[in-house]
Structures are given as structure tokens and as C-alpha cells.
Amino acid sequence: MSEPAAVYHELLTDEFLAAESVGVLQGGQAQRSLFFGRHPLCSALRPNLIDHARYDRVVAASHAVYSSFRALETALLDDADLRAELDLEPAEERLALARPGAAASSPSSRLDGFFTDELRFVEYNAETPAGMAYGDNLTEVFEALPVMQEFRKRFRLRSLPVRDHQLAAMLRAFREWGGAPAPALAIVDWPGLPTLTEFEMFRAYFVGRGIPTVICGPGDLDFRGGVLYADGQPVNLVYKRVLVTELLASEDEGDRALTDAYLAGAVCCVNTFRAKLVDKKMSLALLSDPRYATLYSSAQRRAIERHIPWTRKVRPGPTTRHGQHIVDLIGYLCSHRQQLVLKPNDEYGGRGVVLGWTIDDHEWDQAVSVAQTRSYVVQEAVPAPRESFPVALGSDVRFLDLTVDLDRYLYYGQVGGCLSRLSSSALLNVTAGTGSVVPTYVVDGPT
């Protein structure tokens, strides 16, 4: 445990301070509607504390890997055979190849990973990175915790707000799109989702900065006369939280308004539909497979080797792993369960993810068989750090050993803050119901 974390925990041995802090944490979340579905977003009393030297490493690694994804995207646009590796649906490919308007396909994105001896990225959320408004509001709750106020007397801390970066990226994309002089915004996703509270936080934030904002579902959009309407209001900027795959899977003709307006150039979408190219899990295989090494500069190849875990599409045939020749990938998967993770090429929230070391050989063989009939990747397991965190269980505080990840938000390729999640299970995901979010702070040193 780091010295700052140890000091923080020592402060919580004061039972009165701990009890007061639990009350503020629970009350602050209730007041701000910081829930994912019915569950409070956070049950831990300590933020994720990272010293400035490690944070600098996070920033440098994120920028280097982002550059590699940009190089891959360029190659995918130019090479139909390479694009075929992504298993895109025809409608997905048509949208991905359409001119996006903005200079970046993903004005905002998120690199998810773990930081032990080295930083390793296991996923790239290029389509719909979430959690930004939640994170900023949770930070404000933590600032009011009595234990945090005592801790600030001993250490200099930097919070990492992200909403300002998100808005700046959206407005930059809007200017590049070159539409109307002023944005009128719609936040678009399916109705009834547990993320509605975050959309409401964003709406209040955007409206407070003079941008009219509507929250609606795809079916509440109408494209007519070259104008996109949301609940009857004309809009020219869409904060697209709906996933492309789900939107295209809808059989309701009313859900086509957004894609029709986008293809007509009548609306700026953040993120664009082109983001799907590198959002697919297969993009990490195209980074880590040496067959595609010529797509990247020498600096990018070094970053990939250092920060991207071995990833391959699940299919029979030969491949390599860290220079080792593998005669047949399927046979290799069946005999190396403890080291591997299976992931659907295009899912979220931990759905369909199979961790080899958590099941037996029979279950793993069945999972490998299923993966061969669908679009799946296999990825080597990476070390996941575990730390002691004080957790509020009712009115009590207990110290639990939890896995913690460190996910970097990027805005036009520049790091603009972090999402940190804790879990007692091997799978860290709030959507999957196994995670808790905590704010991230950079510790610049003692006061």
C-alpha cells in the first residue's frame, strides 16, 4: 500500500470520522441521484490515489497507444481485406465509410486497462465511452467527506474532472462539421436504461452552458426537410450514446432517422459512426499480431508490444504468441485455459466474457466451441492489481481487498482524466453489476 493510502486508512480508525464520512457518502449520492439502476455508484470511502510519476506514465502510454489506433483506422479505411477481419455487418461498414464531418472519428474515447508493474490496455471504447458525468459528480461528493478534508491537510491532491473536456471535444467536432453557428443538442439512447441519470446530469451541465439539450430515444427522432428533429425540436448535434449494433438491429423504421440524417450530413454525431472500426475487440488483434506490424511506426510498435496484450481472432489455424509458433490456435486455447480470456468481438458490459481461470476444462471447451461459431477474440490475461479499500457496508466500514482498474479518457487523443472501478470479482464492470466507481486523484506530494 502506498503511503498516502495508508495515511487515509489510518484516518478512518477514528470511528466518529468514519461514521460521518459514510453518512456524507450515502447522502451525497442520494441527493445527486448517483445510482446505476437501483445500486449506488460507490460504496468505497477512499478514492483511487495515484502519484504524479505514475500518472505521467499513464498519460505517455495512452498517447502512444492512441496513435497506434489512429494508424490502424487509416489502414482499415484503405484496405477492404483488412476491414473484413473486423466482421462488420454491411450496414456498419457503410456507416463507417461515410464522411464523419469531424476530424476525429472518436472525439472522446476511453482506454481500459490495469496498472501493475506495467500499464496494459485490454479494451478500447471508441464508440460510446460512459461515466464522465457520474465521475465528476462523485468527485464533488468525495470533496465533502470529512475524511477527505482531513486527508487534504496532509497531501496535495489533483482531481481529474472530465465534463469540460467532453463538451470541448463536442464543440470542436461541431465546428469541424461546419454546420449552423450554434449547437442544438440531443442525447440519444434507448429509453429506460440505468444510465438515464447520467444523461440528466449531462443535460443540466450542457443547458447551464447555454446549449439547449433534449434527451430522447432513436424513435423520438424525425428527419425531414434536411433537418433532424428530437421530440419536435430541431437539433444539429447528437451526443450519440446508442450503440451502432443495437440501432441497426432495430426493426422499427422510426429508428432510422439518426442514420439517415448522418449519411445526409445533416447532423454532427459525437462519436461518429466511423468509430466502430476500432471499437471492435478485433482491433487489438490487428495491433498485436506481427503480421500487421508494417501498419505502424517503430515507436508505435514499441508501444503496442509494451501495452497491448496478445490478442487473436478465435478461428482454427496457425498463429504466434510472443514469437512462439502455434500450430493451431483452437488446440492451443483448449490447453492454456488458465492464461486466457474469451471476448465477443462486439459486446459491452462484460456480456459474453469468459475468464478461463474461473471455470473448469469442460466449461472452457464449450466456450471455445461457441466462440468458433460467432465473432470472438481471445486475449491473454493481464495482471490485475488488488488493493485494500475501506467499504461502507450499511453503517459499518470494512477493509476489503479489491481489484482496481484505471481507464483513461481521451479527447482528440489527449488524456483528460480517468475512470477507476473496484470489484471483488475478476470481472470489473458496473454494467455487469460487479463493480463500484471511485474518483481518481493525483497525489502531488505532502503539504
Side-chain angles (χ1 to χ4, degrees):
M1 188 187 307
S2 69
E3 179 190 354
V7 170
Y8 198 101
H9 291 186
E10 179 66 25
L11 288 169
L12 286 170
T13 60
D14 181 328
E15 293 183 3
F16 179 74
L17 186 67
E20 266 197 317
S21 298
V22 169
V24 172
L25 176 66
Q26 295 173 343
Q29 288 186 94
Q31 183 179 18
R32 293 171 179 266
S33 298
L34 286 170
F35 294 89
F36 191 87
R38 299 178 180 179
H39 303 288
L41 199 64
C42 177
S43 58
L45 283 167
R46 173 169 75 77
N48 188 19
L49 301 170
I50 180 169
D51 68 67
H52 64 87
R54 283 174 70 85
Y55 187 69
D56 288 346
R57 290 175 63 189
V58 168
V59 171
S62 302
H63 291 166
V65 170
Y66 175 84
S67 169
S68 304
F69 276 108
R70 289 283 284 175
L72 174 59
E73 181 185 304
T74 299
L76 288 165
L77 290 170
D78 292 340
D79 189 333
D81 290 336
L82 188 65
R83 279 200 308 279
E85 291 291 294
L86 298 176
D87 294 333
L88 293 163
E89 295 294 330
E92 286 181 307
E93 186 167 22
R94 182 168 64 102
L95 286 166
L97 295 178
R99 292 178 61 85
S105 301
S106 302
S108 61
S109 58
R110 199 183 72 211
L111 278 164
D112 294 355
F114 300 97
F115 197 171
T116 50
D117 60 314
E118 187 55 87
L119 186 58
R120 294 173 179 88
F121 301 108
V122 296
E123 292 189 6
Y124 182 42
N125 191 329
E127 186 183 358
T128 56
M132 290 169 275
Y134 279 141
D136 281 7
N137 275 274
L138 189 59
T139 298
E140 292 173 6
V141 172
F142 264 68
E143 287 295 335
L145 298 185
V147 64
M148 272 291 288
Q149 293 169 358
E150 287 299 315
F151 186 69
R152 276 194 173 276
K153 295 176 182 178
R154 312 211 186 169
F155 291 93
R156 292 179 288 111
L157 303 177
R158 259 188 296 149
S159 62
L160 301 169
V162 291
R163 283 176 302 182
D164 286 348
H165 295 297
Q166 175 66 23
L167 178 57
M170 293 171 69
L171 294 178
R172 176 176 170 180
F174 183 75
R175 292 192 300 270
E176 291 168 349
W177 173 71
L185 195 150
I187 302 172
V188 179
D189 205 348
W190 303 111
L193 293 178
T195 48
L196 175 61
T197 52
E198 185 179 31
F199 300 158
E200 292 170 340
M201 293 171 194
F202 263 124
R203 178 174 59 187
Y205 176 76
F206 294 147
V207 169
R209 281 144 186 82
I211 301 171
T213 303
V214 175
I215 300 172
C216 68
D220 300 316
L221 298 171
D222 182 25
F223 182 52
R224 64 180 189 274
V227 177
L228 184 66
Y229 294 86
D231 281 341
Q233 301 297 316
V235 295
N236 49 30
L237 175 59
V238 168
Y239 183 15
K240 186 182 69 60
R241 293 290 293 266
V242 63
L243 295 169
V244 176
T245 305
E246 294 181 353
L247 184 63
L248 295 177
S250 172
E251 297 179 358
D252 190 337
E253 286 296 321
D255 293 336
R256 298 285 185 266
L258 178 57
T259 55
D260 290 346
Y262 178 81
L263 291 171
V267 67
C268 174
C269 281
V270 178
N271 285 334
T272 76
F273 286 91
R274 183 169 289 179
K276 200 64 178 176
L277 292 176
V278 291
D279 187 77
K280 297 273 189 179
K281 306 297 188 296
M282 184 60 194
S283 65
L284 279 83
L286 297 178
L287 289 182
S288 67
D289 193 327
R291 291 182 298 164
Y292 307 107
T294 56
L295 300 179
Y296 313 105
S297 69
S298 57
Q300 289 165 347
R301 288 195 295 271
R302 288 193 297 273
I304 291 167
E305 176 66 24
R306 187 172 182 180
H307 301 296
I308 299 296
W310 177 85
T311 310
R312 294 291 186 271
K313 178 184 281 190
V314 176
R315 57 186 168 191
T319 188
T320 59
R321 184 180 178 189
H322 303 307
Q324 173 193 353
H325 178 68
I326 296 171
V327 175
D328 180 65
L329 178 62
I330 302 305
Y332 184 84
L333 302 190
C334 292
S335 60
H336 290 76
R337 167 177 62 82
Q338 294 280 353
Q339 307 169 16
L340 302 173
V341 180
L342 290 171
K343 296 180 177 182
N345 186 28
D346 194 6
E347 270 294 1
Y348 69 98
R351 293 193 295 195
V353 174
V354 182
L355 309 177
W357 61 94
T358 66
I359 58 177
D360 62 28
D361 288 341
H362 176 68
E363 292 173 304
W364 178 252
D365 290 346
Q366 286 185 316
V368 172
S369 295
V370 169
Q372 292 179 74
T373 67
R374 303 176 187 175
S375 185
Y376 261 73
V377 300
V378 59
Q379 190 174 80
E380 66 185 359
V382 304
R386 294 186 72 86
E387 293 185 30
S388 177
F389 276 85
V391 175
L393 300 175
S395 58
D396 296 330
V397 176
R398 296 185 186 175
F399 289 88
L400 303 180
D401 192 33
L402 302 174
T403 302
V404 56
D405 70 0
L406 188 66
D407 308 333
R408 275 65 59 199
Y409 292 109
L410 297 108
Y411 302 91
Y412 278 83
Q414 299 300 305
V415 170
C418 295
L419 170 71
S420 292
R421 294 173 293 190
L422 313 177
S423 180
S424 57
S425 77
L427 182 64
L428 276 94
N429 199 287
V430 176
T431 308
T434 62
S436 176
V437 175
V438 291
T440 306
Y441 283 82
V442 178
V443 181
D444 287 322
T447 55

